Amino acid sequence: MNIIDELEWRDAINQQTDAEGLRELTEQKSVSVYCGVDPTGDSMHIGHLIPFMVLKRFQLAGHRPVILIGGATGTIGDPSGRQTERSLQTLEQVQANVDALTAQMKKLFVTEGDNQIRLVNNYDWTHKINVIEFLRDYGKNFSINAMLAKDVVASRLESGISFTEFSYQILQSLDYLHLYRHEDVQLQIGGSDQWGNITSGLDLIRKKEGPEAKAFGLTIPLMLKADGTKFGKTAGGAIWLDPNKTTPFEFYQFWANTDDRDVVKYLKYFTFLTKEEIDELAEKVQTEPHKREAQKRLAEEMTRFVHGEELLDQAKRITAALFTGDIKSLTADEIEQGFKEMPTFEATKETKNIVDWLVDIGIEPSKRQAREDITKGAISMNGERVGDLGLEVTADLAIGGRFIIIRKGKKNYSLVKLS
């Protein structure tokens, strides 16, 4: 299957500058393709992954991907998708973010071997250009009228836009020109909000290299959930690729909790499963939705891709333990992940009777209620039902010497930290 056919089947194409020309080019040769990300933070979130999954598909189809990390553009600020100016970061912070994103990209994508992904930083060529050269050699090729007509700028005219952010599309256009000349890049891909920047780059290439220059642009559709909200956002914020920001268990659970209406779309966008495999899972969404096989497969594929097999196994182990109540099978670190968002209480390592202990740390409102719940079998500790009103709670009962898990009723879990 031609890469363009595959992207169309996966509903991964929003706009193309020359669909027929790009299809012909990808059938004739191995094409160098680039996608960029600005180092606005020290980690990508899953929304950033959308165009890079397309870049990975080009790699698997035998093309040559280039990832651009915007060490220069990150100091300026992309106005796309914003109604206000970005806060400028220090050069030191930008560089720290560049280093973090570079490490993240190397982990996600093959950067060695014949079919490697090449990583570049636009600071390497942009910082050498002085202001006179910038204005004469590049600024002269941009019409203010055309720049104002771009959606990304037009949407900001009422609220205001600085010259710094206004000039962003010139810098990104310069990137495409540089990569066209020095890396043989003929295709830029990006989110739907990048259309104006991409077409500006193509205009610059044709002004500098001639109207017959073969360069193309392709954007990916804006992804919304079935309820109309933005993909990748939860009540707790973004879903990060950095395991220190979003734990592998939380990452796995995000995908596992996907709405039936969205899961097939996500399987197409984010996994490398075949059409036959996805069609089979789509059928199960219709016939056996209660089994959530499509969601489980999506969660497995994405967690493996981002975090690797070992952390996928850990996420599945935590999930299974929470479902079965087999808490003792978990390590202290796994407890910390799995119960991160659950009610948390503090306790000392002092030995206490179970009734007093539950009341003192605040899980039970009174000794009478504590005794009643224990007698009814409604209290479990570390997965085992408490039936003895005389039980002494000691530090030895804590998992890893750090945590005790109390379940009250069927689903009300609490994490108790011992100090």
Side-chain angles (χ1 to χ4, degrees):
M1 187 185 293
N2 177 278
I3 179 62
I4 304 302
D5 290 330
E6 179 171 359
L7 294 180
E8 287 178 345
W9 167 73
R10 291 181 183 273
D11 299 322
I13 297 177
N14 182 45
Q15 291 173 287
Q16 298 181 71
T17 54
D18 177 3
E20 186 177 335
L22 180 58
R23 178 183 293 277
E24 184 179 331
L25 182 70
T26 56
E27 289 175 348
Q28 290 176 347
K29 61 180 285 191
S30 175
V31 181
S32 291
V33 187
Y34 106 88
C35 182
V37 61
D38 279 341
T40 52
D42 59 3
S43 173
M44 294 193 298
H45 54 69
I46 56 174
H48 291 130
L49 267 185
I50 296 172
F52 288 102
M53 300 307 285
V54 172
L55 196 67
K56 181 71 173 178
R57 296 189 200 287
F58 271 96
Q59 181 189 30
L60 294 175
H63 301 284
R64 299 188 303 276
V66 176
I67 293 176
L68 182 147
I69 297 180
T73 42
T75 67
I76 301 303
D78 184 357
S80 302
R82 295 179 63 90
Q83 292 302 313
T84 57
E85 290 277 321
R86 294 180 185 271
S87 299
L88 292 179
Q89 301 181 92
T90 65
L91 293 179
E92 291 76 16
Q93 184 59 57
V94 170
Q95 185 56 51
N97 292 343
V98 167
D99 294 341
L101 293 191
T102 299
Q104 207 164 63
M105 289 295 189
K106 285 182 177 179
K107 180 182 175 185
L108 287 173
F109 299 102
V110 178
T111 53
E112 297 177 355
D114 295 338
N115 200 24
Q116 66 180 6
I117 282 183
R118 177 160 166 70
L119 287 165
V120 297
N121 182 345
N122 60 15
Y123 183 81
D124 293 341
W125 56 84
T126 306
H127 83 280
K128 300 173 184 177
I129 302 172
N130 64 45
V131 66
I132 301 299
E133 186 181 353
F134 175 75
L135 293 172
R136 285 180 59 88
D137 294 349
Y138 301 104
K140 197 71 173 175
N141 293 280
F142 288 82
S143 159
I144 290 292
N145 292 351
M147 292 176 74
L148 289 172
K150 301 287 184 183
D151 288 344
V152 65
V153 174
S155 64
R156 287 279 297 277
L157 291 180
E158 189 172 330
S159 60
I161 183 171
S162 68
F163 176 75
T164 299
E165 290 198 4
F166 180 67
S167 67
Y168 183 92
Q169 64 181 277
I170 301 179
L171 289 184
Q172 186 166 316
S173 300
L174 196 159
D175 289 342
Y176 198 173
L177 175 64
H178 176 91
L179 294 176
Y180 178 86
R181 286 173 169 174
H182 299 284
E183 300 288 345
D184 192 30
V185 168
Q186 291 180 269
L187 173 63
Q188 181 184 359
I189 62 177
S192 58
D193 62 344
Q194 293 300 308
W195 181 251
N197 290 330
I198 291 172
T199 53
S200 291
L202 292 171
D203 289 342
L204 180 61
I205 288 172
R206 287 172 183 135
K207 286 177 181 175
K208 289 287 191 177
E209 303 297 309
E212 300 305 314
K214 283 194 173 183
F216 303 86
L218 181 152
T219 62
I220 291 94
L222 175 67
M223 186 172 287
L224 296 174
K225 293 190 284 189
D227 61 8
T229 59
K230 192 171 182 181
F231 165 78
K233 297 287 186 180
T234 67
I239 304 298
W240 300 98
L241 306 191
D242 184 340
N244 295 314
K245 292 177 177 287
T246 299
T247 68
F249 169 72
E250 291 172 313
F251 189 84
Y252 179 92
Q253 286 298 315
F254 170 81
W255 299 103
N257 290 324
T258 298
D259 191 303
D260 284 347
R261 296 170 295 173
D262 290 321
V263 68
V264 175
K265 176 171 66 176
Y266 294 175
L267 284 167
K268 288 181 178 181
Y269 260 88
F270 291 104
T271 76
F272 300 100
L273 300 179
T274 64
K275 184 178 188 302
E276 292 72 24
E277 289 173 305
I278 292 176
D279 286 345
E280 184 178 337
L281 289 167
E283 177 68 20
K284 290 181 178 179
V285 172
Q286 298 301 318
T287 59
E288 301 176 309
H290 58 285
K291 291 186 177 180
R292 300 187 67 78
E293 288 189 37
Q295 283 87 345
K296 291 174 185 175
R297 188 66 186 276
L298 174 65
E300 288 177 1
E301 294 293 323
M302 287 310 300
T303 308
R304 181 184 292 112
F305 178 70
V306 172
H307 294 298
E309 199 72 43
E310 185 177 342
L311 293 181
L312 166 61
D313 289 343
Q314 183 187 73
K316 290 170 70 175
R317 200 160 53 245
I318 297 171
T319 300
L322 290 176
F323 181 75
T324 63
D326 184 19
I327 304 300
K328 281 190 173 179
S329 66
L330 301 178
T331 66
D333 288 343
E334 290 168 348
I335 290 287
E336 196 164 30
Q337 275 198 58
F339 289 83
K340 183 179 177 183
E341 300 301 324
M342 294 182 185
T344 302
F345 300 87
E346 302 282 344
T348 67
K349 294 184 178 181
E350 176 187 358
T351 298
K352 279 189 180 180
N353 171 266
I354 182 65
V355 173
D356 295 331
W357 187 81
L358 289 171
V359 173
D360 288 348
I361 63 177
I363 290 178
E364 290 284 18
S366 67
K367 291 183 181 182
R368 182 196 62 78
Q369 186 64 54
R371 284 192 290 267
E372 183 179 325
D373 286 340
I374 292 171
T375 302
K376 287 181 176 179
I379 299 293
S380 294
M381 178 182 290
N382 295 339
E384 294 183 358
R385 185 169 294 174
V386 177
D388 182 7
L389 290 172
L391 174 69
E392 295 291 306
V393 181
T394 67
D396 292 339
L397 296 176
I399 297 173
R402 297 162 58 193
F403 303 117
I404 292 176
I405 305 300
I406 297 295
R407 188 180 71 185
K408 186 177 176 181
K410 290 185 177 181
K411 296 182 179 179
N412 296 321
Y413 282 97
S414 297
L415 172 66
V416 182
K417 293 183 178 180
L418 268 61
S419 58

